[in-house]
Amino acid sequence: MRWALTDAATLTGRYLAHLRHQPAELAGAIGFPILLVLMFAFLLGGMMAVPGGGDYRQALLPGLFTMTMLFGLSATMVAVVTDAQRGITDRFRSMPMAPSAVLVGRAAADMVTSAITLGALLLVGLAVGWRPSGGPAAFVAAVGLLLLLRFALLWVGIYLGLLVRSPGAVTAVQTLEFPFGFLSGLFVAPATMPLVVGAVAEWNPLSSTAAATRALFGNPGWGGDSWVAQHPVLMAVVWPLVIVAVFAPLSVHRYREMSR
């Protein structure tokens, strides 16, 4: 275990060192969500409404925070595919190191990047008028749920990166992020959608995290009569744990298969 943790820490440092030498990657990861905040807050938000009343901008920001966690899926996938194409993954597999260290190091480094991105986005949200009012403990819990979702989705990204190892597949995943994000309660109430589409949107894991963070931040939300809509905090924990339980073992298995 000590050997594996040491190797994982070394690889985490390697990934973060690469990020220091390529600051444009971090700038892009932060800049694009900030652009979305400005677009929705000042260009599109004027025609949106919260069912039952409330400031749409206050309901919007938790949805954008959640969407940023989704964008991390393709970012992780890009990093994994890039290492594979450059032969770095093959080099790691040939070295006397713990096989789990490659995946754990990737996950740890991406979580650091995600925490920085989320911190910057929270500050931008405050700058454009978003105000959390749920108290310090609820604020920390909301941030924790966002990072938990990111942790779950990065395992999806790791698995897909190990599975396809193709730039075309990365583009396809990046293209699908927006439909998956909009087919949820991130930006509009599922109740305003057609019946079947609205039901799918309510059961989207992103919807649970967005609804839970709205409740914890003290921001207005969409409500809903379904069981999943009435238990958002519980589902914001359950969904990521289910995703990790599925994709973390799949990622480890895929990496071991590549080593044979």
Side-chain angles (χ1 to χ4, degrees):
M1 179 62 69
R2 183 174 59 184
W3 173 42
L5 291 175
T6 301
D7 288 345
T10 300
L11 286 181
T12 300
R14 177 256 175 188
Y15 294 129
L16 293 177
H18 171 77
L19 195 62
R20 287 198 302 269
H21 290 91
Q22 300 290 336
E25 294 183 14
L26 182 60
I30 297 175
F32 184 62
I34 290 176
L35 180 61
L36 285 180
V37 169
L38 298 178
M39 288 176 58
F40 275 90
F42 296 108
L43 298 181
L44 304 176
M47 61 181 183
M48 303 292 188
V50 179
D55 185 356
Y56 177 72
R57 190 173 299 180
Q58 303 303 314
L60 167 68
L61 267 297
L64 286 174
F65 299 153
T66 306
M67 190 73 171
T68 302
M69 301 299 99
L70 172 64
F71 290 149
L73 188 156
S74 61
T76 298
M77 188 177 176
V78 168
V80 173
V81 170
T82 300
D83 278 353
Q85 289 181 329
R86 293 176 177 175
I88 296 174
T89 303
D90 292 333
R91 191 180 310 165
F92 285 155
R93 294 205 312 265
S94 66
M95 295 174 66
M97 59 186 296
S100 62
V102 178
L103 304 184
V104 173
R106 175 80 267 163
D110 282 7
M111 287 303 297
V112 172
T113 304
S114 299
I116 295 172
T117 302
L118 181 57
L121 202 58
L122 288 168
L123 293 176
V124 172
L126 293 172
V128 300
W130 170 71
R131 293 294 181 267
S133 58
F139 183 92
V140 172
V143 171
L145 289 179
L146 289 167
L147 292 177
L148 178 61
L149 177 67
R150 173 67 182 105
F151 180 73
L153 292 176
L154 72 83
W155 284 107
V156 180
I158 288 174
Y159 175 68
L160 293 177
L162 293 173
L163 183 66
V164 298
R165 305 178 69 174
S166 166
V170 173
T171 302
V173 170
Q174 290 173 325
T175 303
L176 291 173
E177 282 177 337
F178 274 100
F180 187 73
F182 280 103
L183 186 60
S184 68
L186 298 190
F187 305 111
V188 296
T192 63
M193 304 176 186
L195 184 60
V196 175
V197 177
V200 173
E202 282 192 330
W203 283 90
N204 187 327
L206 301 181
S207 298
S208 295
T209 297
T213 53
R214 287 186 182 107
L216 291 169
F217 283 137
N219 298 143
W222 316 135
D225 298 326
S226 67
W227 186 91
V228 67
Q230 294 177 359
H231 300 83
V233 176
L234 173 63
M235 294 307 298
V237 175
V238 171
W239 276 124
L241 293 180
V242 170
I243 294 172
V244 171
V246 172
F247 283 95
L250 285 175
S251 299
V252 173
H253 176 73
R254 175 60 182 166
Y255 185 80
R256 288 175 177 171
E257 288 294 316
M258 293 169 61
S259 302
R260 294 177 181 176

